Amino acid sequence: MRNYLRAELICLAVLCLGVAACGAAELGTPADEPTETRALGPGSTKIVVIGKSVHPYWSNIEKGVEAAGRDLGVETIFFSPAKEDVAAQIQTMETYIAQNVTGIAVAPSDPQALEPVMRKAAGAGIFVITLDTPPVEDSVSLVYIGTNNFAAGEIAGKTMARLLAGSGKVGIGRGSDTALNALQRTEGFMAGIAGTDVQVLAPVNDKEDPAIALQLANSIIASHPDLSGAFGIYAYNGPIWATAIKEADAVGRIHLVCFDATSDIINGIKEGVIDATVAQREYDMGYKSVQIINLLAEKGEEAALDEMGAQDGVIDTGVDVITPATLKKYEAMLDRRGIPHDWSTEGWEPPSR
Ligand code: BGC
């Protein structure tokens, strides 16, 4: 237990529902095995997207990849290892370098470890980009498509500080100690609670293994009877904390803030065990990854980055903050855009304050 942070609450987070630029969460079903799917288009362009784990969050990315492949008439291949697995990501990169594909979009679980193989791909004339989690500085990745993780973590931290009225003890579960999205969300969270009396326990790493994540959450709750908050950094962390909090009969005593908007998280919000979630726009990450690699191949780097609105090598896909108070608005936004979701707020009303 280290990295306690104490100070005074100086500001309250204002929860708001951001407006998504395009497709947000569509929900999928987790599987036990790694996935690899192909969508065939008519041309010779072949675009590979490599994820980090098998989870509905990644199924939403895969749906974006497939939709872009269909819309643009290009072949897409999506692969995700079962859980955080740097060796599997490197091996998959090697496989597709050997096939001389058009482009590879990768979410590096360990950006340092992935960089050499990304460099090898770029050296072979393959367009390399990153999605969901950024690469190292000076990477060969031509663009990062995803969330501004520091800013999103800061929103989560401010939200937690508001829920705890400025003081309390918070446990953090995350799936990686190397992926930059996890590290930057943690840093952002710390910035969000800065100036408050909120204390943070050292984050625990479960490598996106749900069984380990549950064990860790249970043990934090058991060893810190005064725990008043939990922050789930990855999509699967929040629902696992929700289970642990329910099992400990601590709903309402331990406030829970998480990331993403898969159905288990939305159900947790409806149930009242999850106080807020920072929803990413992962469908867009998948769609835009295919779109930009196709443009890179057709028009070259400058035109492609310009057309896609990249700024300083980043396409920020944005987030939506969902609480019980904004859930119906979020659902209405999805419905307005025709984005399917397998949950509904019908018959549910947010609790009155
Ligand atoms: C993260 C991904 C992670 C996913 C599933 C998301 O919040 O952006 O990197 O793989 O959660 O846990």
Side-chain angles (χ1 to χ4, degrees):
M1 193 173 77
R2 58 188 165 89
N3 291 353
Y4 273 73
L5 196 137
R6 291 170 185 273
E8 242 174 44
L9 174 68
I10 48 170
C11 64
L12 299 179
V14 178
L15 292 181
C16 61
L17 181 73
V19 180
C22 33
E26 186 188 339
L27 306 167
T29 316
D32 291 332
E33 295 302 318
T35 55
E36 176 170 328
T37 55
R38 275 160 195 274
L40 292 174
S44 58
T45 303
K46 194 189 262 194
I47 297 169
V48 179
V49 178
I50 303 173
K52 282 165 83 239
S53 63
V54 173
H55 186 274
Y57 172 88
W58 285 103
S59 306
N60 294 338
I61 291 193
E62 184 175 0
K63 285 177 182 141
V65 167
E66 285 174 355
R70 271 193 310 273
D71 291 352
L72 301 170
V74 298
E75 180 179 354
T76 59
I77 297 165
F78 179 84
F79 171 82
S80 244
K83 55 184 181 174
E84 297 279 333
D85 188 341
V86 174
Q89 286 190 321
I90 293 173
Q91 184 49 53
T92 308
M93 292 277 305
E94 292 283 8
T95 301
Y96 290 109
I97 292 170
Q99 291 184 21
N100 196 28
V101 296
T102 311
I104 303 177
V106 61
S109 282
D110 180 341
Q112 295 282 358
L114 263 291
E115 189 62 23
V117 75
M118 287 162 61
R119 196 164 289 279
K120 180 174 173 185
I126 294 169
F127 296 107
V128 177
I129 69 159
T130 41
L131 78 162
D132 175 64
T133 181
V136 290
E137 258 177 56
D138 301 324
S139 169
V140 291
S141 165
L142 296 168
V143 66
Y144 160 66
I145 302 181
T147 298
N148 176 334
N149 290 290
F150 182 89
E154 192 172 16
I155 293 173
K158 287 187 171 175
T159 302
M160 181 63 83
R162 185 185 62 82
L163 287 164
L164 300 186
S167 78
K169 187 186 278 184
V170 178
I172 300 184
R174 68 183 182 195
S176 174
D177 286 340
T178 49
L180 288 179
N181 61 356
L183 301 179
Q184 291 168 352
R185 284 174 207 178
T186 310
E187 278 168 26
F189 188 84
M190 298 306 280
I193 59 156
T196 76
D197 281 331
V198 174
Q199 307 167 13
V200 171
L201 300 173
V204 290
N205 179 11
D206 47 63
K207 300 186 175 169
E208 299 214 40
D209 183 322
I212 297 174
L214 185 58
Q215 231 176 328
L216 289 168
N218 283 335
S219 104
I220 290 176
I221 292 176
S223 52
H224 296 278
D226 56 343
L227 197 79
S228 50
F231 175 36
I233 284 197
Y234 277 173
Y236 72 100
N237 285 118
I240 278 166
W241 271 104
T243 303
I245 289 170
K246 283 192 280 188
E247 281 173 5
D249 204 15
V251 177
R253 177 168 68 76
I254 301 178
H255 290 284
L256 178 54
V257 175
C258 44
F259 256 79
D260 302 307
T262 45
S263 57
D264 43 6
I265 292 173
I266 298 297
N267 289 335
I269 289 182
K270 285 166 62 185
E271 248 180 277
V273 60
I274 294 176
D275 295 89
T277 192
V278 181
Q280 299 189 86
R281 298 178 190 154
E282 66 269 24
Y283 178 94
D284 290 357
M285 295 180 205
Y287 194 101
K288 290 183 177 186
S289 292
V290 172
Q291 209 179 3
I292 201 162
I293 290 175
N294 189 47
L295 276 174
L296 284 162
E298 279 180 352
K299 300 187 178 174
E301 187 176 336
E302 208 181 313
L305 294 182
D306 192 50
E307 202 168 316
M308 294 287 294
Q311 285 188 349
D312 297 328
V314 174
I315 295 175
D316 182 354
T317 40
V319 294
D320 301 290
V321 179
I322 310 170
T323 66
T326 62
L327 179 56
K328 278 181 177 285
K329 251 167 114 181
Y330 179 71
E331 184 182 34
M333 184 271 286
L334 294 183
D335 291 344
R336 220 173 27 249
R337 296 204 168 101
I339 297 166
H341 47 91
D342 59 8
W343 50 269
S344 157
T345 62
E346 212 183 310
W348 172 86
E349 286 302 326
S352 50
R353 289 169 175 250

